[in-house]
Amino acid sequence: MDRQNLARVAGASAVVTTLVQAGTAAVALPRGRRDYADGAWGPGLAAIALTSAVVGNGDRRRRWALAAATTAWAVRLESLMLPRLVGSDEEDPRYSEFLEGDSTATAGLKVFVTQGLAQLVVSAPLQVAAASTLPRTSRRYLLPVGLAVMAIGTVVEALADRQKDAFKQRDDDEKPDVLDTGLWGVSRHPNYLGDSVTWDGAWLAAAASAPAGWTWPAPVAMSYFLMYATGAKRTEQRMEDRPGYRDYQDRVPFFFPDPRRLLARLGRRGA
């Protein structure tokens, strides 16, 4: 690993992240729409990946493959988030509740500064990979494995979101209280699960170079964010009083699918 190059990659990533978050905050805070931060999550990580690919001097194919995979993930996510944000005149209740009573400065710190720092942490594998060469040992095959895992995670996230949107659009007498079919029948939060898997794959691809293996706290942090900090747990708190949701919680695992239930479902379909 070229440590001087890594310092340049990290510095450039920090600058890009600051610009993305500051620009978003400048638009969001005067409008009282702190939830615009959701729209900056994907583009911010894609910007870091592309910046790392440009500034880095590590293995060229890997750094651009990771940039392409991250950008594809971000574009898909933004195509979902942007219409939701633009199509709503009210701030997401998650932000209103979390920031209740806070000043503009405090809200900026808690939302945009925190998100920028989180993006730098989560993208650490991409940054280290951009400044690292690939070994000639069999460890190099972690790259294609990691890219494949990224693709699987992105597909799972996209499919879960599509199933959720289709459920919301249903307007018939047979519509159940809770979506519990498809991916939503094996995990209560398959969209967040797919997101987590995507970033596990990014770490695997980066870990083809030994130094990047030490960035394992990055995917752990991402999973924590998705499960407890800003994702699944907050969603559960809003949903648990809705009809049928308590029963859904009893039947379907919170995040990671139960292998036995998954195999049983597949067996029933094959029968």
Side-chain angles (χ1 to χ4, degrees):
M1 181 179 67
D2 185 335
R3 293 186 179 182
Q4 291 184 340
N5 184 242
L6 176 60
R8 290 193 293 271
V9 169
S13 297
V15 170
V16 167
T17 302
T18 300
L19 291 174
V20 170
Q21 294 300 326
T24 306
V27 174
L29 293 176
R31 291 171 171 77
R33 290 297 303 271
R34 285 80 54 97
D35 59 342
Y36 282 5
D38 286 347
W41 179 248
L45 287 167
I48 292 173
L50 291 168
T51 298
S52 298
V54 171
V55 178
N57 64 4
D59 184 82
R60 180 181 180 86
R61 288 178 296 179
R62 177 173 57 179
R63 65 180 197 261
W64 283 107
L66 284 171
T70 303
T71 301
W73 165 84
V75 168
R76 205 288 312 176
L77 180 62
E78 194 66 7
S79 69
L80 180 71
M81 296 304 307
L82 195 58
R84 289 183 181 178
L85 293 171
V86 174
S88 174
D89 294 328
E90 297 182 357
E91 184 176 68
D92 188 317
R94 291 179 302 157
Y95 286 84
S96 302
E97 295 169 4
F98 175 60
L99 300 169
E100 184 177 3
D102 287 339
S103 66
T104 299
T106 300
L109 177 65
K110 291 172 70 172
V111 175
F112 298 99
V113 173
T114 300
Q115 180 168 258
L117 293 173
Q119 286 176 324
L120 291 173
V121 170
V122 168
S123 65
L126 306 181
Q127 297 177 53
V128 176
S132 304
T133 58
L134 277 175
R136 294 184 178 181
T137 64
S138 58
R139 186 183 181 116
R140 68 188 294 114
Y141 294 110
L142 284 176
L143 172 57
V145 171
L147 292 173
V149 172
M150 287 187 76
I152 291 170
T154 300
V155 169
V156 168
E157 182 181 11
L159 182 57
D161 284 332
R162 180 173 297 183
Q163 292 173 348
K164 183 178 180 180
D165 286 342
F167 176 78
K168 287 182 175 180
Q169 292 172 10
R170 284 184 60 179
D171 186 17
D172 57 77
D173 295 337
E174 297 182 357
K175 180 180 179 180
D177 293 326
V178 178
L179 172 59
D180 61 356
T181 57
L183 293 174
W184 298 85
V186 296
S187 168
R188 299 205 299 272
H189 304 280
N191 50 348
Y192 291 133
L193 174 63
D195 200 347
S196 177
V197 170
T198 297
W199 288 93
D200 289 341
W203 174 77
L204 274 174
S209 298
W214 291 101
T215 62
W216 59 265
V220 171
M222 183 59 139
S223 295
Y224 174 79
F225 296 151
L226 292 169
M227 293 173 68
Y228 300 109
T230 61
K233 273 296 182 183
R234 287 185 178 274
T235 301
E236 295 259 316
Q237 291 170 359
R238 298 199 320 272
M239 295 288 293
E240 59 187 8
D241 292 330
R242 295 191 181 186
Y245 201 78
R246 295 281 186 175
D247 175 64
Y248 179 59
Q249 288 177 312
D250 291 336
R251 292 185 289 108
V252 179
F254 169 64
F255 199 78
F256 297 106
D258 184 333
R260 294 170 299 179
R261 292 188 181 184
L262 183 58
L263 289 173
R265 286 174 64 91
L266 292 174
R268 287 195 299 270
R269 287 186 178 181

